[in-house]
Amino acid sequence: MASKTGKKKIAVLFGGQSSEHIVSCMSAANVIDLIDRDTYDPLLIGITEEGHWLKAECADDIRSGRWRESRIEAVLCPDASRQSVILTEAGRYEEIRIDAAFPVLHGLYGEDGTVQGLFELARIPYVGCGVLASAVSMDKCTTKIIVKELGIRQADYVPVERWKMEKDLEGTVSRIEEKLSYPVFIKPSNAGSSRGVSKAENRQELINGLREAAHHDRKILVEETIVGHEIECAVLGGGSRPVRSTGVGEILAAAEFYDFDAKYYNEASRTVIHPVLPGDSAERVRSAAEKIFNAVDGYGLARVDFFVTDRGEVIFNEINTLPGFTAISMYPMLWEAAGLSKKELISELIRLAFERQSHFEQ
């Protein structure tokens, strides 16, 4: 349904209650600038770190943080017959019917299937992976189980539950040391943008890393260290559209590993499009990325991350179902290098959202 202007109303959600709140805001400002205003009319909805939904006015307000001062509250109506957002200001209500949603939300409550479930309930078309793909891809431990069934090599790991660690820290550490050798990486199972990730060279650093990761999630992943090129591949499509993947990009981290600060605040970190890799490893990365995307029931978009060793071995790292759209994010850069501009990419993602909904209604 188009509005009186003939444009389709797109609710763009950003911010959120996850540790990736600020990254989401950075991504959303860029997405909003790239939306085709001749076809779509965006309605901007920011979610504070406390979970308060507010109407924002423009991308500049998102970049400056002024949107948090908005006095217009926003509620996505779950009633499937209304497909609307209800705005409230000083006791006055306005209901705006929306045609689709673009959740530019990373991490908890945005990339994990929760907000996708709300869109499903309200029967609102939305950009990106569905409930299942979002949930299993967000949880690194669950993703590893699926990827193991594909026969794709991945880092050896030990899963840790926070309550067990708190009850028996010594036993938890011993169990890790029995299976893995130092150095190891410690990651929250359900966090992104390298939030809560650390590297441990010894037992005390492992304990510190486990405690830090436990601040971010109740499930923790401890992995063997893989030495190799950090490689990313962008995937697009799903449903009736064939899944396509880009060439690969390489991360050259300024820090010892690509942590949050290295990703977003260290200008010495660089990305290289179409890096020189051993043998046919780049093609094997692309093939593995598409297989993993299909295995988790992916739709719309994802960025799949790997390591490639100097011997050409391809090792899966993780999948991100709502990759960043910041100025330095690999996903849009990879598609741009493949001939799809950032503006065309955003339009394609919105078209895919409408296509999925039309298939469900048939």
Side-chain angles (χ1 to χ4, degrees):
M1 182 197 77
S3 66
K4 292 179 181 179
T5 63
K7 302 177 184 179
K8 292 187 174 182
K9 181 73 75 173
I10 308 295
V12 181
L13 277 64
F14 64 90
Q17 298 178 65
S18 82
S19 57
E20 298 176 80
H21 175 95
I22 189 63
V23 183
S24 169
C25 294
M26 294 162 64
S27 291
N30 290 330
V31 167
I32 291 159
D33 285 342
L34 293 166
I35 289 177
D36 180 1
R37 298 305 177 93
D38 292 331
T39 306
Y40 305 112
D41 181 20
L43 172 66
L44 314 185
I45 300 174
I47 304 172
T48 69
E49 291 177 275
E50 297 75 33
H52 193 189
W53 291 39
L54 300 168
K55 181 179 181 293
E57 295 301 324
C58 62
D60 284 344
D61 282 356
I62 298 172
R63 292 188 176 97
S64 69
R66 286 192 300 269
W67 68 272
R68 296 180 182 88
E69 301 168 9
S70 173
R71 296 184 180 181
I72 305 175
E73 298 179 327
V75 175
L76 182 68
C77 180
D79 188 328
S81 69
R82 296 167 72 169
Q83 296 176 315
S84 65
V85 170
I86 300 171
L87 303 178
T88 309
E89 182 180 17
R92 297 188 298 273
Y93 294 84
E94 179 184 6
E95 184 169 351
I96 299 178
R97 191 170 175 87
I98 61 173
D99 297 288
F102 198 139
V104 192
L105 294 164
H106 306 309
L108 188 67
Y109 305 136
E111 197 175 351
D112 60 358
T114 49
V115 79
Q116 288 78 13
L118 178 57
F119 297 141
E120 296 275 1
L121 188 66
R123 294 188 64 79
I124 294 171
Y126 59 94
V127 169
C129 287
V131 175
L132 175 65
S134 299
V136 300
S137 299
M138 186 69 196
D139 190 309
K140 296 179 179 66
C141 290
T142 303
T143 308
K144 279 186 170 289
I145 295 170
I146 295 172
V147 172
K148 182 179 179 180
E149 290 296 312
L150 297 175
I152 295 172
R153 167 87 158 92
Q154 55 189 329
D156 201 5
Y157 71 102
V158 175
V160 174
E161 294 182 76
R162 182 171 58 197
W163 73 270
K164 288 183 180 179
M165 181 190 80
E166 292 173 345
K167 185 177 180 180
D168 183 12
L169 179 60
E170 181 67 26
T172 298
V173 171
S174 296
R175 182 165 61 90
I176 294 167
E177 291 178 330
E178 286 171 6
K179 187 171 183 181
L180 304 176
S181 300
Y182 293 107
V184 295
F185 278 94
I186 306 104
K187 304 175 180 179
S189 189
N190 286 276
S193 292
S194 298
R195 286 295 203 181
V197 175
S198 61
K199 184 179 182 180
E201 301 279 356
N202 53 56
R203 173 172 278 219
Q204 187 56 54
E205 290 181 359
L206 173 60
I207 291 171
N208 295 342
L210 288 169
R211 286 172 172 162
E212 173 60 26
H215 288 307
H216 296 268
D217 194 16
R218 63 181 180 83
K219 294 170 67 178
I220 302 164
L221 192 67
V222 183
E223 288 184 326
E224 69 169 319
T225 296
I226 302 294
V227 178
H229 303 268
E230 293 189 50
I231 300 299
E232 299 183 347
C233 181
V235 180
L236 178 69
S240 63
R241 298 280 192 97
V243 173
R244 295 181 287 155
S245 58
T246 62
V248 303
E250 181 175 6
I251 301 297
L252 300 176
E256 184 179 5
F257 65 95
Y258 204 40
D259 61 7
F260 183 83
D261 287 337
K263 281 184 178 181
Y264 299 108
Y265 295 112
N266 193 328
E267 294 181 357
S269 291
R270 294 189 296 115
T271 55
V272 178
I273 305 298
H274 301 311
V276 177
L277 296 176
D280 65 346
S281 55
E283 279 305 311
R284 286 185 282 121
V285 163
R286 294 183 64 189
S287 175
E290 293 176 13
K291 287 178 181 177
I292 293 167
F293 184 74
N294 286 323
V296 300
D297 194 30
Y299 186 89
L301 75 163
R303 195 194 72 235
V304 193
D305 301 347
F306 298 85
F307 295 103
V308 175
T309 69
D310 288 339
R311 293 183 301 171
E313 187 177 17
V314 172
I315 303 169
F316 169 70
N317 184 19
E318 63 183 36
I319 178 171
N320 294 272
T321 54
L322 207 299
F325 276 84
T326 70
I328 60 169
S329 292
M330 185 75 86
Y331 187 87
M333 284 196 292
L334 285 169
W335 279 114
E336 198 161 42
L340 189 65
S341 73
K342 292 176 182 177
K343 188 169 184 176
E344 290 170 332
L345 175 60
I346 295 300
S347 293
E348 176 68 4
L349 291 171
I350 296 173
R351 282 194 294 270
L352 282 164
F354 285 116
E355 282 187 17
R356 172 173 51 194
Q357 192 71 9
S358 65
H359 293 153
F360 285 164
E361 292 175 349
Q362 288 177 356

